[in-house]
Amino acid sequence: MSQDKADDDGIVTIGQAFDQASKRLETGRQEPTFMGKGSRLPLVKYSVTSLLKTVSKSAQIPDDDLGILQPYLEQIDRPILTWAMMEGVSAYALNHWLAWDESLSIDSFLTVIREQFPQKPDGTSSIISVLHILSCHPKIAPELRDQLKAWLKSRNYSGSDNDIGAAKGKLNACLLVVIQQQHPHEPLHLTAHLQLEDKAPIPILLKPDPKSPYQSHPDNSAIITCQVSTDETLEEKISQYLKDLLKQCGDIYLRGSPGTYNLVIELFLPFDYLAESVDLWLIPRLPRRKRQLGREYRVIVRSYERLFDAYYADKLECVWNWIKVFEKEVLPTRIKRLEHEKSYCYSGLEQELNEQQTIGLSCFLPESDMEREDLFFALYETGVPLALWLRSRDLENDDMSHFDHLLCAKCLLDHNHLIDQLWLKRKAAYGSPNPQKQWGYHAAMLLDNPERNPPLNPLRWGG
């Protein structure tokens, strides 16, 4: 009776449940028996999340033209086809379809495009948009690109370079991973979305196998649950989940992209986990080999409560808007710099951040749990979106200017550039003879961008 077995209206009926039972028992010695009436009686009803049921059913391209297209499309592998389809149709609808249909074929691709998706605002159909993308895709063979362009031109679908140009250079992609825990020692609830450039976030749906350390939530397939134990760290609890997420994103959404990409992993952590060294988490790569997450990817920490708690979300939004009105040269002066101080009383930090209209903080991470709690509580209560800290003071060439080049006006105006610069410093530290002595190895960043958030609905389940 899970959601993936529901019909077009989101309903699982008695008749459907009986059919499922019959299929599962057809090779066994038991035989199900249906006694009674009302096979359409609903057992459970889910909200319909697929957009496939709400769009036009009108044909987009004549069947003859679809037949002509098929030989071209058969030369294109699934990831590139998926990417192109994302460009031409609704990402949410596509993701829902792919999540439950693992056998993507050329025939099913053409059928869905022709029958399920409406025309674009300019009057052309979705598949025309897809073909424009493919005809300019650098990973498509040149002769095939020429054939597709000729096909489009012969039917007056030539389009302009501005309409069909594939993405140039680096693609900005963000994997937004939300980690929720209602109370200590309760199961973790995990959801993930991928955001490409300025497009809407796409939910990433995993299908755990029985041996996975995590499983789907029984009431919402978009949520992954992970049991916890007192002898495990947060890293141990979800490292396999992150590995599978990254593979899913790479296989379906990123490998077929028109260019290389910058992937930022943004981990939304509950308050108690904000000081986690997420960039040092070890992620399985090849058999028997693991690499630090921050060595492979751009990684930042986000705050879970500021995403879902309206009180803290409002404070964050107010400070974020300050950043946009400050003069360029003023921005660096709005950073509270504590990494130069050998000792500091964090209990008074909230008042100082408020008085100085602070937009960011840099410091060494306090050693005591109480001071750490004071530090992050001050950030929450004042809405400061940016914090940089070092986890160790035992550093080589310690001239106390660790974050100077990161807290310049250019980085503060373009947070993608700030994330890139921090990642380069991390990579340089990993490549040094003694990484643990380099400040880049110990640098961490909390950066809450209220303009880049996953949808809130997947985390709501139950009554």
Side-chain angles (χ1 to χ4, degrees):
M1 291 186 287
S2 60
Q3 187 172 2
D4 58 300
K5 300 300 190 297
D7 62 17
D8 291 356
D9 300 316
I11 297 173
V12 178
T13 65
I14 288 178
Q16 290 170 305
F18 179 79
D19 290 342
Q20 288 293 322
S22 299
K23 291 177 182 178
R24 296 201 179 196
L25 295 174
E26 62 185 6
T27 59
R29 290 177 292 179
Q30 292 179 297
E31 181 178 350
T33 302
F34 185 85
M35 301 178 66
K37 298 180 180 181
S39 63
R40 278 291 298 170
L41 183 66
L43 287 174
V44 63
K45 183 173 182 179
Y46 297 97
S47 60
V48 180
T49 57
S50 173
L51 298 183
L52 296 177
K53 311 306 175 187
T54 62
V55 295
S56 170
K57 299 287 184 178
S58 60
Q60 304 293 310
I61 287 183
D63 287 342
D64 290 344
D65 279 354
L66 288 176
I68 295 172
L69 279 176
Q70 185 156 341
Y72 300 142
L73 298 179
E74 286 175 347
Q75 301 178 54
I76 302 169
D77 67 6
R78 171 175 170 158
I80 294 178
L81 195 62
T82 304
W83 172 270
M85 193 169 173
M86 285 175 59
E87 293 293 327
V89 301
S90 160
Y92 280 105
L94 172 66
N95 188 77
H96 184 89
W97 172 48
L98 289 177
W100 306 118
D101 182 8
E102 295 179 339
S103 57
L104 174 63
S105 66
I106 300 301
D107 287 333
S108 64
F109 169 80
L110 292 172
T111 299
V112 170
I113 291 292
R114 179 189 61 193
E115 297 181 353
Q116 303 288 356
F117 293 94
Q119 289 189 336
K120 295 172 67 63
D122 61 3
T124 62
S125 66
S126 295
I127 197 167
I128 297 303
S129 174
V130 169
L131 294 176
H132 279 314
I133 299 293
L134 295 176
S135 68
C136 299
H137 200 303
K139 294 183 181 179
I140 302 294
E143 60 274 12
L144 179 55
R145 290 198 304 242
D146 292 340
Q147 289 175 334
L148 290 173
K149 289 177 181 177
W151 189 93
L152 291 165
K153 186 175 182 180
S154 68
R155 286 155 177 79
N156 296 320
Y157 291 142
S158 57
S160 64
D161 291 339
N162 291 334
D163 295 331
I164 65 176
K168 306 296 183 184
K170 295 282 186 178
L171 171 76
N172 288 319
C174 303
L175 181 59
L176 310 173
V177 183
V178 179
I179 301 173
Q180 180 195 27
Q181 188 178 40
Q182 295 285 0
H183 303 287
H185 310 305
E186 288 191 357
L188 299 173
H189 294 102
L190 315 171
T191 57
H193 289 74
L194 183 69
Q195 185 166 3
L196 304 173
E197 297 289 1
D198 56 352
K199 299 181 184 298
I202 307 163
I204 306 299
L205 306 180
L206 294 183
K207 294 183 177 180
D209 61 54
K211 297 181 180 179
S212 296
Y214 57 85
Q215 295 299 321
S216 296
H217 193 282
D219 298 326
N220 189 334
S221 59
I223 301 172
I224 293 296
T225 64
C226 184
Q227 297 296 327
V228 300
S229 61
T230 55
D231 59 343
E232 285 182 308
T233 65
L234 185 62
E235 173 188 354
E236 293 169 329
K237 294 166 190 172
I238 65 171
S239 60
Q240 183 63 41
Y241 172 71
L242 289 177
K243 176 196 173 185
D244 293 343
L245 270 184
L246 291 165
K247 185 178 188 305
Q248 180 89 337
C249 291
D251 286 350
I252 294 183
Y253 298 104
L254 296 175
R255 188 165 72 87
S257 62
T260 54
Y261 55 88
N262 294 327
L263 182 62
V264 178
I265 301 177
E266 304 189 5
L267 291 165
F268 293 79
L269 299 177
F271 184 85
D272 292 339
Y273 292 114
L274 287 178
E276 284 280 334
S277 305
V278 295
D279 53 292
L280 298 182
W281 287 359
L282 295 175
I283 301 298
R285 303 295 290 173
L286 295 173
R288 301 183 302 279
R289 303 288 294 190
K290 295 183 178 182
R291 295 287 286 271
Q292 294 93 343
L293 189 65
R295 183 173 185 172
E296 301 293 313
Y297 304 99
R298 297 154 178 82
V299 180
I300 64 172
V301 172
R302 300 283 299 272
S303 51
Y304 170 81
E305 285 81 6
R306 291 208 280 198
L307 175 62
F308 291 96
D309 188 303
Y311 175 79
Y312 292 121
D314 183 64
K315 287 180 173 290
L316 175 65
E317 188 78 34
C318 289
V319 180
W320 191 262
N321 290 332
W322 288 355
I323 300 176
K324 300 176 182 179
V325 300
F326 284 137
E327 296 291 335
K328 178 179 178 180
E329 58 273 10
V330 173
L331 285 173
T333 68
R334 298 295 178 175
I335 304 296
K336 179 71 174 178
R337 304 292 296 267
L338 299 179
E339 76 270 18
H340 303 288
E341 303 186 24
K342 292 185 177 180
S343 63
Y344 180 79
C345 180
Y346 284 91
S347 61
L349 179 60
E350 179 183 344
Q351 182 177 351
E352 292 188 30
L353 295 179
N354 267 327
E355 290 175 350
Q356 300 172 15
Q357 280 195 315
T358 308
I359 64 169
L361 170 75
S362 65
C363 64
F364 281 100
L365 192 65
E367 294 183 3
S368 74
D369 292 339
M370 181 60 71
E371 286 185 320
R372 291 187 184 187
E373 185 172 325
D374 288 341
L375 164 62
F376 291 115
F377 185 72
L379 295 176
Y380 269 59
E381 289 299 316
T382 58
V384 172
L386 170 65
L388 289 159
W389 63 85
L390 292 169
R391 293 181 289 260
S392 173
R393 292 180 179 270
D394 185 18
L395 305 171
E396 293 178 348
N397 303 318
D398 189 2
D399 58 0
M400 304 303 294
S401 59
H402 313 101
F403 295 130
D404 285 352
H405 66 291
L406 294 180
L407 298 175
C408 62
K410 182 177 181 180
C411 289
L412 294 174
L413 287 170
D414 181 359
H415 288 132
N416 287 323
H417 182 68
L418 172 60
I419 294 170
D420 274 347
Q421 291 302 306
L422 177 61
W423 182 63
L424 291 175
K425 291 300 179 182
R426 283 173 174 164
K427 289 188 68 176
Y430 290 129
S432 68
N434 190 1
Q436 288 79 5
K437 292 288 186 179
Q438 304 300 313
W439 78 265
Y441 182 88
H442 297 283
M445 177 162 61
L446 180 147
L447 179 56
D448 264 326
N449 180 351
E451 298 173 353
R452 186 159 66 206
N453 287 326
L456 306 186
N457 290 336
L459 282 181
R460 297 173 183 170
W461 67 88

